[in-house]
mmCIF file of all heavy atoms in Angstrom:
data_model
loop_
_atom_site.group_PDB
_atom_site.id
_atom_site.type_symbol
_atom_site.label_atom_id
_atom_site.label_comp_id
_atom_site.label_asym_id
_atom_site.label_seq_id
_atom_site.Cartn_x
_atom_site.Cartn_y
_atom_site.Cartn_z
ATOM 1 N N ARG Y 102 10.596 -70.486 14.060
ATOM 2 C CA ARG Y 102 11.618 -71.535 14.050
ATOM 3 C C ARG Y 102 11.643 -72.239 12.704
ATOM 4 O O ARG Y 102 12.716 -72.605 12.199
ATOM 5 C CB ARG Y 102 11.302 -72.524 15.162
ATOM 6 C CG ARG Y 102 12.371 -73.517 15.490
ATOM 7 C CD ARG Y 102 11.985 -74.303 16.744
ATOM 8 N NE ARG Y 102 10.899 -75.208 16.472
ATOM 9 C CZ ARG Y 102 11.041 -76.420 15.920
ATOM 10 N NH1 ARG Y 102 12.227 -76.829 15.560
ATOM 11 N NH2 ARG Y 102 9.983 -77.189 15.741
ATOM 12 N N PHE Y 103 10.492 -72.452 12.113
ATOM 13 C CA PHE Y 103 10.402 -73.120 10.822
ATOM 14 C C PHE Y 103 11.110 -72.320 9.744
ATOM 15 O O PHE Y 103 11.909 -72.847 8.948
ATOM 16 C CB PHE Y 103 8.934 -73.351 10.437
ATOM 17 C CG PHE Y 103 8.762 -74.172 9.192
ATOM 18 C CD1 PHE Y 103 8.792 -75.556 9.245
ATOM 19 C CD2 PHE Y 103 8.527 -73.559 7.961
ATOM 20 C CE1 PHE Y 103 8.609 -76.319 8.094
ATOM 21 C CE2 PHE Y 103 8.344 -74.305 6.809
ATOM 22 C CZ PHE Y 103 8.391 -75.692 6.885
ATOM 23 N N THR Y 104 10.846 -71.010 9.715
ATOM 24 C CA THR Y 104 11.480 -70.153 8.706
ATOM 25 C C THR Y 104 12.986 -70.092 8.941
ATOM 26 O O THR Y 104 13.768 -70.143 7.965
ATOM 27 C CB THR Y 104 10.891 -68.736 8.774
ATOM 28 O OG1 THR Y 104 9.481 -68.807 8.706
ATOM 29 C CG2 THR Y 104 11.407 -67.893 7.609
ATOM 30 N N GLU Y 105 13.402 -69.963 10.167
ATOM 31 C CA GLU Y 105 14.833 -69.901 10.469
ATOM 32 C C GLU Y 105 15.541 -71.178 10.043
ATOM 33 O O GLU Y 105 16.677 -71.164 9.564
ATOM 34 C CB GLU Y 105 15.048 -69.638 11.959
ATOM 35 C CG GLU Y 105 14.663 -68.235 12.368
ATOM 36 C CD GLU Y 105 14.830 -68.003 13.856
ATOM 37 O OE1 GLU Y 105 14.934 -68.999 14.610
ATOM 38 O OE2 GLU Y 105 14.832 -66.826 14.282
ATOM 39 N N LYS Y 106 14.834 -72.319 10.181
ATOM 40 C CA LYS Y 106 15.421 -73.589 9.771
ATOM 41 C C LYS Y 106 15.581 -73.644 8.259
ATOM 42 O O LYS Y 106 16.559 -74.177 7.735
ATOM 43 C CB LYS Y 106 14.557 -74.747 10.244
ATOM 44 C CG LYS Y 106 15.163 -76.113 9.968
ATOM 45 C CD LYS Y 106 14.379 -77.202 10.629
ATOM 46 C CE LYS Y 106 15.075 -78.552 10.468
ATOM 47 N NZ LYS Y 106 14.337 -79.635 11.170
ATOM 48 N N MET Y 107 14.613 -73.101 7.534
ATOM 49 C CA MET Y 107 14.720 -73.047 6.084
ATOM 50 C C MET Y 107 15.960 -72.270 5.670
ATOM 51 O O MET Y 107 16.744 -72.729 4.829
ATOM 52 C CB MET Y 107 13.467 -72.409 5.475
ATOM 53 C CG MET Y 107 12.207 -73.231 5.612
ATOM 54 S SD MET Y 107 10.747 -72.435 4.837
ATOM 55 C CE MET Y 107 11.186 -72.552 3.100
ATOM 56 N N VAL Y 108 16.129 -71.113 6.252
ATOM 57 C CA VAL Y 108 17.253 -70.248 5.873
ATOM 58 C C VAL Y 108 18.584 -70.908 6.239
ATOM 59 O O VAL Y 108 19.520 -70.954 5.419
ATOM 60 C CB VAL Y 108 17.138 -68.855 6.551
ATOM 61 C CG1 VAL Y 108 18.383 -68.019 6.273
ATOM 62 C CG2 VAL Y 108 15.878 -68.135 6.085
ATOM 63 N N SER Y 109 18.700 -71.426 7.449
ATOM 64 C CA SER Y 109 19.956 -72.023 7.889
ATOM 65 C C SER Y 109 20.306 -73.268 7.085
ATOM 66 O O SER Y 109 21.479 -73.521 6.781
ATOM 67 C CB SER Y 109 19.899 -72.367 9.384
ATOM 68 O OG SER Y 109 18.898 -73.352 9.639
ATOM 69 N N SER Y 110 19.290 -74.046 6.707
ATOM 70 C CA SER Y 110 19.543 -75.266 5.923
ATOM 71 C C SER Y 110 19.994 -74.952 4.517
ATOM 72 O O SER Y 110 20.772 -75.719 3.914
ATOM 73 C CB SER Y 110 18.262 -76.104 5.862
ATOM 74 O OG SER Y 110 17.853 -76.521 7.148
ATOM 75 N N MET Y 111 19.564 -73.815 3.991
ATOM 76 C CA MET Y 111 19.927 -73.425 2.624
ATOM 77 C C MET Y 111 21.151 -72.511 2.635
ATOM 78 O O MET Y 111 21.155 -71.461 2.034
ATOM 79 C CB MET Y 111 18.722 -72.770 1.946
ATOM 80 C CG MET Y 111 17.526 -73.713 1.810
ATOM 81 S SD MET Y 111 16.048 -72.917 1.166
ATOM 82 C CE MET Y 111 16.569 -72.581 -0.510
ATOM 83 N N PHE Y 112 22.149 -72.947 3.393
ATOM 84 C CA PHE Y 112 23.450 -72.273 3.423
ATOM 85 C C PHE Y 112 23.365 -70.836 3.988
ATOM 86 O O PHE Y 112 24.096 -69.962 3.555
ATOM 87 C CB PHE Y 112 24.119 -72.287 2.049
ATOM 88 C CG PHE Y 112 24.072 -73.655 1.388
ATOM 89 C CD1 PHE Y 112 23.219 -73.883 0.300
ATOM 90 C CD2 PHE Y 112 24.825 -74.694 1.887
ATOM 91 C CE1 PHE Y 112 23.151 -75.145 -0.285
ATOM 92 C CE2 PHE Y 112 24.753 -75.953 1.298
ATOM 93 C CZ PHE Y 112 23.935 -76.185 0.218
#
Side-chain angles (χ1 to χ4, degrees):
R102 192 173 70 83
F103 186 83
T104 309
E105 289 178 344
K106 185 171 186 178
M107 291 181 69
V108 175
S109 63
S110 298
M111 298 174 68
F112 313 108

